[in-house]
Amino acid sequence: MIGDRWLPLESNPDVMNRYIKALGVDTDKWKFVDVYGLDDELLEMVPHPACAILLLFPINSNYEKNRIEEEEKVRSEGQFVSSCLYFMPQTISNACGTLGVIHAIANNMEVLQCEGLLKAFIEQSKDLSLSEKALMLQNDSGITSCHDSSALEGQTLAPSREESVNLHFIALVQKEGYLYELDGRRPFPINHGRSNEETFLKDAAIVCKKFMEFDKESLQFNVVALAKVN
């Protein structure tokens, strides 16, 4: 159940990079960059390698219907989930941006240069239960403070904590040969099939396009990639 409420984070690489730098990521080597389109030629503009995608999308009835059906299918048929995959639930309203950041970084610690607040949180929480991870985030004043500061830095006026926001972040990562959707509103990760470092961006783009089919008229989709820049 979602309880506490944070300010929503803007899907803006500048804001996100200041955020993850404050959390301990070396943004001289890895940072969030815009993904200008999901066709192959536009994906070529993204620095290589990219290790995670954050997708911002509008929640609507078409998406919710698909989400429920997808989760029921996983419950009935099962799926493979790597034991090395880091996943945690969202129990704080408007914290989906931070959950996306945590999922992106926690599942790529072997390549990212990360110290400080976020590294400590990931190391201390990785073996906890889902509910224990969620409670740990609720009680982490350092990450909460960084999130609030970053949410106020966006190009658009931040809505109030009480305002209902229907936009939602998820992370897409590749782990041990599979592409995973990590969404704190779901009870578990979603395995979207085989992938690897070379095909990750194109595989993730296919998943992003499926989300866009749920609301073909909306202009509220946004995609950023966590990519190596140096």
Side-chain angles (χ1 to χ4, degrees):
M1 181 175 293
I2 295 179
D4 295 341
R5 186 180 292 272
W6 286 0
L7 293 168
L9 191 67
E10 188 173 291
S11 184
N12 176 326
D14 291 337
V15 170
M16 290 182 163
N17 289 328
R18 287 194 291 270
Y19 183 30
I20 64 173
K21 184 175 182 177
L23 292 174
V25 176
D26 184 353
T27 54
D28 288 333
K29 294 184 172 65
W30 291 82
K31 63 173 55 176
F32 284 107
V33 299
D34 282 311
V35 177
Y36 294 108
L38 300 174
D39 295 329
D40 288 355
E41 61 270 20
L42 291 174
L43 293 176
E44 291 294 329
M45 297 173 62
V46 178
H48 185 81
C51 66
I53 286 287
L54 294 189
L55 169 67
L56 181 72
F57 66 96
I59 294 174
N60 63 16
S61 58
N62 290 334
Y63 165 74
E64 288 290 79
K65 179 176 181 292
N66 179 81
R67 179 181 65 81
I68 292 169
E69 291 173 351
E70 203 165 38
E71 290 170 10
E72 289 176 348
K73 181 178 180 181
V74 170
R75 288 189 178 99
S76 63
E77 299 179 8
Q79 65 174 350
F80 172 78
V81 175
S82 167
S83 60
C84 298
L85 191 71
Y86 184 102
F87 176 74
M88 66 179 294
Q90 180 184 344
T91 56
I92 305 168
S93 291
N94 297 335
C96 56
T98 284
L99 264 288
V101 166
I102 292 174
H103 283 140
I105 293 171
N107 287 295
N108 290 288
M109 289 292 284
E110 67 276 9
V111 297
L112 297 174
Q113 284 71 40
C114 181
E115 300 292 339
L117 283 174
L118 192 51
K119 181 180 181 182
F121 177 86
I122 291 167
E123 290 184 344
Q124 293 168 23
S125 65
K126 63 183 179 181
D127 295 323
L128 299 180
S129 68
L130 294 182
S131 60
E132 288 170 335
K133 287 176 182 173
L135 183 61
M136 186 173 169
L137 181 60
Q138 290 176 25
N139 294 328
D140 194 306
S141 59
I143 294 178
T144 300
S145 177
C146 283
H147 174 102
D148 277 358
S149 296
S150 298
L152 292 169
E153 289 181 353
Q155 295 177 353
T156 57
L157 181 65
S160 71
R161 295 178 192 276
E162 289 71 33
E163 186 173 335
S164 178
V165 178
N166 78 323
L167 298 177
H168 186 61
F169 280 99
I170 62 165
L172 297 169
V173 303
Q174 185 272 134
K175 200 73 173 178
E176 295 190 317
Y178 289 91
L179 176 68
Y180 292 98
E181 173 191 333
L182 303 175
D183 178 353
R185 292 179 71 240
R186 290 185 182 268
F188 37 69
I190 300 295
N191 184 328
H192 282 287
R194 288 285 186 179
S195 186
N196 57 56
E197 182 181 304
E198 290 302 315
T199 66
F200 167 68
L201 266 183
K202 291 183 180 180
D203 298 333
I206 292 171
V207 175
C208 291
K209 288 177 181 178
K210 290 179 180 177
F211 275 78
M212 292 177 179
E213 286 294 312
F214 299 133
D215 195 343
K216 295 180 181 180
E217 303 303 317
S218 177
L219 300 176
Q220 294 181 297
F221 292 92
N222 195 65
V223 183
V224 296
L226 183 59
K228 189 173 184 180
V229 293
N230 193 358

